[in-house]
Amino acid sequence: MITMPRIGEKAPEFQAVTTQGNINFPGDYQGSWVILFSHPADFTPVCTSEFMTFASLESKFDKANCKLVGLSVDGLFSHIAWLRTIKEKIEYKGMKDVEVKFPLIEDITMDVARKYGMIQPGESTTKAVRAVFVIDPKGVIRTIIYYPLSLGRNFDELYRVVIALKTADEFGVATPADWRPGDAVIVPPAGSCGVAKERMESKNGMKCYDWFFCTKELDKEMVMSKVLTN
Ligand code: BEZ
């Protein structure tokens, strides 16, 4: 049976060998956000562009208390050789001498990939698709994104996802389409007619488009000071 993890559930547990030693997932990451992501294969071009980009952004994710963990169904020596090639030989879009410091899991048995629904046979039976799991400090899956083999991910979007999830948690709000820090946020639906009326009058700094759709300003510095320290 193929299992697919779901948003709101605990991240499935596993132990694995990585380029940075053994890990116990998600237990080793308790207290941090973590992005577990898979790529189809080492020594392939889209994956190389992704690893160079993600590694270049690692310190930015780290400042948001978000760790990165990669996975493919290749073995450890392939991972080590590929990451060494990236560091020593590849210059791409101004990125060079890129060192991937986050762990890259070897999963030759495909046990972890299967557990996380990363093997999607319509796309490939022998490679993981480009899966992204954003997991919170309590080990709960908060966002899942899957991309096909041919489509490189947008890492600015993954950063935006982490910041938006943390903002929602910290401020008890939701974030509208294309939200970025400094944009207005959505305040929860009104609980009573009185509140709804007040909202329609756009009091308390709120702007209402209808009774069910109200936003309020949330200062960028306030957002970043909260999400970069927790
Ligand atoms: C790539 O990373 O370029 C790639 C990997 C597997 C299949 C297709 C493309």
Side-chain angles (χ1 to χ4, degrees), residues 40 44-47 127 130 149:
T44 53
V46 178
C47 301
K127 295 177 176 65
R130 300 181 198 281
L149 303 189

Side-chain angles (χ1 to χ4, degrees), residues 107-157:
D107 189 29
I108 38 182
T109 61
M110 296 193 189
D111 284 349
V112 179
R114 286 208 184 88
K115 223 175 213 184
Y116 273 82
M118 293 166 173
I119 304 297
Q120 304 203 356
E123 186 72 351
S124 173
T125 53
T126 58
K127 295 177 176 65
V129 295
R130 300 181 198 281
V132 180
F133 292 86
V134 182
I135 297 163
D136 75 14
K138 291 185 177 139
V140 175
I141 297 172
R142 300 291 298 276
T143 297
I144 302 173
I145 314 175
Y146 290 108
Y147 297 74
L149 303 189
S150 64
L151 177 56
R153 285 160 278 207
N154 180 318
F155 293 92
D156 288 335
E157 168 62 3

